[in-house]
């Protein structure tokens, strides 16, 4: 594929589907089930977190550790292709970067799709549910996974929490939701400047999060945080993102069966300053889900923050999860 064709392909794919970085928060590793003895009389729950695009389990470290400190069980899912030691780095990624060499490194996510994410997460939920029914939390594109997992094993799920996450119930995919009027102004094309290599040949989207392109950094700040977010928070986020993400995830049909998914209690945590999933789009997905199952409506909470919660807003997210009905 010529460089010109690759550029057109990247822009078309990113512009139509929106490559969404689904971020939980924090940088501490979240392996295994974190557990602490309850400090008070609060109810102990079992939380399972599902990351979205370009994210690993470690990104939920703050939430996992904070909930464990409050007496809950909590773990984050490491999705297929993200296992320790599998990251597609190499000498070309180091400084000075050789992007042509890095583009030739095989991707562990080649051939991985939404179905594999769902099957793997169902297995994690089955294991975690031995300690009690699970509160399943997804961030951004992790919403696709949690909806289909809840559909597969509704008897193991106590509640589904969409933390600023995609909830596809009327329209089939993220790509379709980005074509709606509610998505106007979304910064969902920001990755085009940082895509490395030929996505078709790699079988995955590869993004150079270490790019120093000022236009890319400005767009990333507006998309992942807020336009006024400090540099320290922007670089903290960029430096823990995974470089590759599966092709086709944003076009996958992620609509769950309302007869199974729809009977599980659910919460939506709105991020009111999100530049990647605008608040109008979040509200549209909430409204459509409530119309689909009017007898089981979203419990809606809000945090004044961007797509990735700002550091000083993370305790609010913990409070919401700790206080779920």
């Amino acid at each position: 594929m010529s460089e010109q064709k690759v550029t057109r392909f990247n822009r078309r794919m990113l512009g139509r589907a929106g490559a969404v970085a689904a971020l939980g928060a924090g940088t501490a590793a979240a392996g295994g089930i974190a557990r602490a003895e309850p400090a008070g009389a609060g109810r102990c729950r079992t939380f399972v977190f599902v990351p979205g695009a370009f994210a690993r389990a470690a990104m939920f470290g703050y939430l996992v550790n904070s909930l464990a400190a409050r007496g809950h069980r909590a773990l984050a899912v490491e999705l297929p292709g993200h296992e320790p030691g599998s990251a597609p780095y190499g000498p070309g990624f180091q400084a000075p970067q050789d992007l042509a060499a890095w583009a030739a490194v095989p991707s562990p996510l080649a051939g991985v799709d939404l179905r594999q994410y769902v099957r793997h997460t169902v297995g994690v939920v089955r294991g975690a549910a031995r300690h009690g029914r699970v509160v399943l939390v997804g961030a951004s594109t992790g919403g696709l996974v949690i909806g289909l997992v809840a559909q597969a094993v509704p008897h193991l799920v106590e509640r589904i929490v969409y933390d600023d996450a995609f909830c596809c119930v009327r329209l089939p995919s993220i790509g379709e939701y980005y074509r709606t009027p509610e998505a106007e102004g979304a910064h969902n094309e920001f990755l085009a400047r940082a895509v490395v290599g030929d996505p078709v040949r790699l079988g995955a989207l590869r993004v150079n999060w270490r790019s120093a392109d000022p236009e890319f950094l400005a767009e990333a700040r507006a998309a992942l945080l807020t336009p006024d977010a400090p540099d320290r928070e922007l670089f903290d986020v960029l430096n823990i993102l995974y470089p590759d993400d599966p092709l086709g995830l944003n076009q996958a049909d992620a609509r769950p069966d309302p007869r199974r998914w729809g009977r599980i209690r659910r919460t939506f945590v709105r991020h009111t300053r999100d530049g990647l999933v605008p608040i109008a789009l979040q509200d549209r997905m909430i409204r459509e889900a409530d119309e689909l199952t009017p007898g089981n409506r979203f419990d809606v909470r809000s945090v004044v923050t961007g797509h990735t919660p700002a550091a000083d807003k993370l305790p609010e997210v913990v409070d919401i999860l700790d206080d779920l009905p």
Side-chain angles (χ1 to χ4, degrees):
M1 185 181 289
S2 69
E3 182 177 353
Q4 185 178 20
K5 288 182 179 179
V6 169
T7 300
R8 288 202 301 267
F9 174 84
N10 290 343
R11 289 178 178 170
R12 184 172 67 251
M13 176 171 55
L14 294 169
R16 291 178 60 193
V20 183
L23 309 177
T27 58
I33 295 183
R35 178 73 169 91
E37 290 304 315
R43 179 183 176 190
C44 172
R45 282 183 155 123
T46 301
F47 289 89
V48 173
F49 291 87
V50 180
F54 302 103
R56 300 182 75 168
M59 301 196 73
F60 287 109
Y62 181 93
L63 299 181
V64 166
N65 292 340
S66 297
L67 288 168
R70 297 190 185 195
H72 300 285
R73 303 179 185 91
L75 66 87
V77 179
E78 199 73 277
L79 292 168
H82 297 75
E83 299 84 359
S86 66
Y89 298 118
F93 180 74
Q94 301 305 114
Q97 288 190 298
D98 182 344
L99 297 184
W102 186 35
V105 176
S107 175
L109 288 166
V112 173
D113 59 17
L114 179 59
R115 292 172 297 178
Q116 289 173 260
Y117 276 7
V118 171
R119 284 198 300 268
H120 177 77
T121 305
V122 165
V124 174
V125 168
R126 289 188 188 279
R130 291 177 295 179
H131 303 282
R133 291 172 66 206
V134 164
V135 176
L136 193 55
V137 186
S140 194
T141 61
L144 310 183
V145 179
I146 64 173
L148 296 177
V149 170
Q151 169 186 285
V153 287
H155 59 293
L156 301 181
V157 180
E158 173 190 350
R159 178 176 289 272
I160 321 168
V161 179
Y162 290 81
D163 184 15
D164 192 10
F166 281 93
C167 179
C168 303
V169 294
R170 292 292 187 195
L171 300 178
S173 67
I174 290 175
E176 291 296 320
Y177 275 100
Y178 268 126
R179 296 184 183 96
T180 65
E182 290 83 358
E184 184 177 357
H187 295 271
N188 60 307
E189 297 184 15
F190 80 103
L191 293 184
R193 287 182 170 273
V195 170
V196 175
D198 178 353
V200 173
R201 184 174 300 171
L202 279 171
L205 272 179
R206 176 162 295 168
V207 173
N208 181 21
W209 298 111
R210 295 177 62 190
S211 171
D213 179 348
E215 293 189 29
F216 167 72
L217 294 177
E219 281 290 303
R221 189 192 311 268
L224 302 180
L225 295 161
T226 57
D228 56 351
D231 284 348
R232 65 180 183 276
E233 291 201 8
L234 173 64
F235 293 117
D236 186 44
V237 169
L238 295 183
N239 278 283
I240 57 175
L241 290 175
Y242 200 71
D244 288 10
D245 204 57
L247 285 180
L249 194 65
N250 292 332
Q251 301 298 336
D253 190 334
R255 289 171 292 185
D257 182 349
R259 294 169 299 179
R260 297 171 66 82
W261 166 89
R263 70 184 196 231
I264 303 170
R265 295 181 299 168
R266 58 181 185 261
T267 293
F268 198 105
V269 183
R270 300 161 77 244
H271 291 198
T272 62
R273 297 192 66 196
D274 192 345
L276 191 59
V277 188
I279 190 63
L281 185 54
Q282 296 174 52
D283 288 342
R284 174 180 176 141
M285 292 186 287
I286 293 169
R287 182 176 65 253
E288 289 180 349
D290 288 348
E291 290 171 353
L292 188 64
T293 60
N296 182 28
R297 301 171 66 85
F298 265 115
D299 159 49
V300 180
R301 314 295 182 94
S302 298
V303 180
V304 182
T305 194
H307 193 69
T308 307
D312 62 349
K313 296 296 183 178
L314 285 171
E316 292 185 33
V317 179
V318 175
D319 286 343
I320 288 171
L321 296 173
D322 188 36
D323 191 45
L324 290 172

